[in-house]
Amino acid sequence: MDLTSILGLLAGLGLIVYGIMFEGNAFLPSNIIRFINMPSFYITIGGTIAATITAFPIGYFKHIPKHLKIIATKNKFQPEKYIKIIVEFAQDARRKGILSLEDKVNEQDDEFLKKSIMLIVDAIDPAKAKQMLENELDCLDSRHLSGVKIYEKASSLAPAFGMIGTLIGLINMLAGLDMDSANGAKNLTSGMAVALITTLYGSMLANMLLTPMANKLRVRHAEEMLCREIIVEGVLAIQAGDNPKHIEERLCAYLADSQRDKFVSKAGSSEDSGKKGRR
């Protein structure tokens, strides 16, 4: 589980609640009651959900459980892992031929990796194989970003419904001024509560939940796309018959400097232990 998403949300909510309950030099838990307003909740939360549903086809929303799982779990796409796998495939292809990769590829869980390796095992023309893999990446990019758009759209709608709630509260407040003094004061405070709290709810929903969710999905998408690009680059290099060492050096360019140094040192130590074992 990726605790950063959960801890970040809990920490944000906790700090806001603490700020609400801390008044002057006193800590007043009862203050939290002032910030619970059901009409504001219905206007902001309900309105945002309703407008988001209106903005997208129903098929978009069936992937929300998957999105939540992606946000809450650790990143499973590690570029170092894929570079290591590609280099091993390259070494096997150099020693035993590309056809030998057919048996080994079945051990992999990544369907895109399997498909990519099978293209070169089936001797698909390099230009056509590259086109097919790049088209697959384009489709993947489109699918993922369509999911992100749901949260980005909802994030833009939440403050707007907060403003709608503010207008409703102000209208009710002003309308209540025409009544007798007792009811007028009551309607004034009630309308003012709706006017202000809806803005708070809209801002919190957009900036504490929806925008971070959209950003996290974008980060996960970028991590997956990086590994997919490594697969495409590596598989086409294997098909071209490039030296495994050169393939490794080329793929390491996708890593950050710190990742690259760590990967090279690990690869070097593994190579040394392998040589000692053969002795």
Side-chain angles (χ1 to χ4, degrees):
M1 178 176 287
D2 183 6
L3 295 178
T4 58
S5 301
I6 298 169
L7 289 176
L9 179 60
L10 293 177
L13 287 173
L15 290 169
I16 289 174
V17 170
Y18 178 81
I20 289 170
M21 294 190 295
F22 195 81
E23 185 176 330
N25 294 322
F27 191 69
L28 304 173
S30 60
N31 282 0
I32 198 71
I33 302 300
R34 302 176 188 171
F35 291 83
I36 298 174
N37 186 279
M38 293 313 295
S40 298
F41 181 87
Y42 295 140
I43 292 169
T44 308
I45 311 296
T48 300
I49 293 172
T52 305
I53 290 173
T54 305
F56 294 93
I58 194 66
Y60 277 57
F61 298 96
K62 67 181 180 181
H63 299 295
I64 288 178
K66 184 179 178 182
H67 298 160
L68 296 177
K69 182 180 177 182
I70 291 170
I71 290 168
T73 54
K74 287 184 178 180
N75 172 34
K76 64 178 182 178
F77 292 98
Q78 304 293 335
E80 301 95 329
K81 170 189 165 187
Y82 282 92
I83 293 173
K84 183 179 178 183
I85 291 171
I86 292 294
V87 171
E88 288 175 357
F89 277 131
Q91 290 168 345
D92 286 348
R94 197 171 184 83
R95 288 196 304 264
K96 306 173 188 177
I98 288 180
L99 292 177
S100 66
L101 302 181
E102 185 171 4
D103 295 329
K104 190 172 181 179
V105 76
N106 293 324
E107 301 170 5
Q108 303 299 322
D109 296 326
D110 192 309
E111 291 299 324
F112 183 78
L113 177 59
K114 287 183 181 180
K115 181 177 180 179
S116 302
I117 294 294
M118 289 308 299
L119 285 177
I120 64 173
V121 169
D122 293 338
I124 302 295
D125 179 72
K128 187 176 181 181
K130 182 178 181 181
Q131 183 181 9
M132 291 173 66
L133 293 174
E134 288 179 346
N135 182 61
E136 186 85 17
L137 290 184
D138 290 340
C139 292
L140 180 70
D141 185 63
S142 178
R143 286 197 305 271
H144 285 185
L145 294 184
S146 66
V148 173
K149 287 177 183 177
I150 296 175
Y151 304 99
E152 290 180 337
K153 174 57 72 175
S155 178
S156 67
L157 290 169
F161 276 95
M163 184 58 65
I164 289 172
T166 298
L167 294 174
I168 291 171
L170 291 173
I171 291 168
N172 288 336
M173 181 183 69
L174 295 173
L177 293 177
D178 294 333
M179 300 181 180
D180 60 85
S181 59
N183 287 332
K186 184 178 179 182
N187 280 291
L188 179 69
T189 55
S190 176
M192 182 62 75
V194 173
L196 297 178
I197 293 175
T198 47
T199 302
L200 174 66
Y201 285 179
S203 298
M204 287 178 61
L205 181 62
N207 295 295
M208 286 193 59
L209 185 64
L210 297 171
T211 299
M213 287 175 69
N215 190 70
K216 194 62 169 280
L217 287 175
R218 281 191 177 277
V219 169
R220 290 288 184 250
H221 168 68
E223 291 167 345
E224 182 174 350
M225 286 296 288
L226 176 63
C227 292
R228 299 297 185 226
E229 289 168 5
I230 286 172
I231 291 172
V232 173
E233 182 82 17
V235 166
L236 294 176
I238 292 172
Q239 188 179 35
D242 292 352
N243 187 292
K245 188 65 179 174
H246 293 162
I247 294 175
E248 182 179 353
E249 290 173 356
R250 189 189 307 176
L251 297 183
C252 280
Y254 286 90
L255 303 177
D257 291 339
S258 57
Q259 290 177 303
R260 197 179 308 173
D261 294 339
K262 189 176 179 182
F263 177 79
V264 170
S265 63
K266 273 187 179 180
S269 60
S270 299
E271 209 172 294
D272 291 341
S273 63
K275 288 178 180 178
K276 287 179 182 177
R278 286 195 294 272
R279 286 175 190 169

